[in-house]
Amino acid sequence: MELRELQAFIKEKYYEKDRERGVLKTFLWLVEEIGELSEALRGGNMEAIDEEIADVFAWTLSLANLLGIDLEESFKRKYMS
């Protein structure tokens, strides 16, 4: 599955809830997930790290959707040009 497809999947599944929550609160959820990832890293629990990285990625996609950012294109512009 391509990054754009993953972003579309997250949008289809969560966009309405994310839109109702708004950009700031969605960003705060992302920050919370980053905190949980930090705790998992400190604990060295690979299962928890795996789960929390997925959460951070999903919330990043949600935030990009709310802001109308095509994350695949942004990544390509930033890192592949």
Side-chain angles (χ1 to χ4, degrees), residues 69-79:
I69 293 171
D70 180 329
L71 197 51
E72 184 173 315
E73 283 304 311
S74 294
F75 184 90
K76 287 176 181 177
R77 261 193 316 277
K78 174 85 179 182
Y79 294 102

Side-chain angles (χ1 to χ4, degrees), residues 12-71:
E12 182 179 317
K13 188 161 183 163
Y14 297 107
Y15 185 78
E16 288 306 315
K17 286 173 75 172
D18 293 338
R19 188 179 59 76
E20 289 174 18
R21 183 184 313 103
V23 171
L24 180 59
K25 288 183 181 177
T26 299
F27 175 72
L28 292 175
W29 273 102
L30 171 59
V31 170
E32 182 175 323
E33 293 300 336
I34 291 169
E36 291 176 7
L37 175 57
S38 174
E39 289 177 18
L41 287 166
R42 284 193 306 261
N45 180 333
M46 286 306 295
E47 186 176 324
I49 292 167
D50 182 73
E51 183 177 313
E52 296 307 332
I53 283 178
D55 287 345
V56 168
F57 182 60
W59 282 101
T60 299
L61 293 173
S62 285
L63 187 59
N65 283 333
L66 286 176
L67 295 168
I69 293 171
D70 180 329
L71 197 51

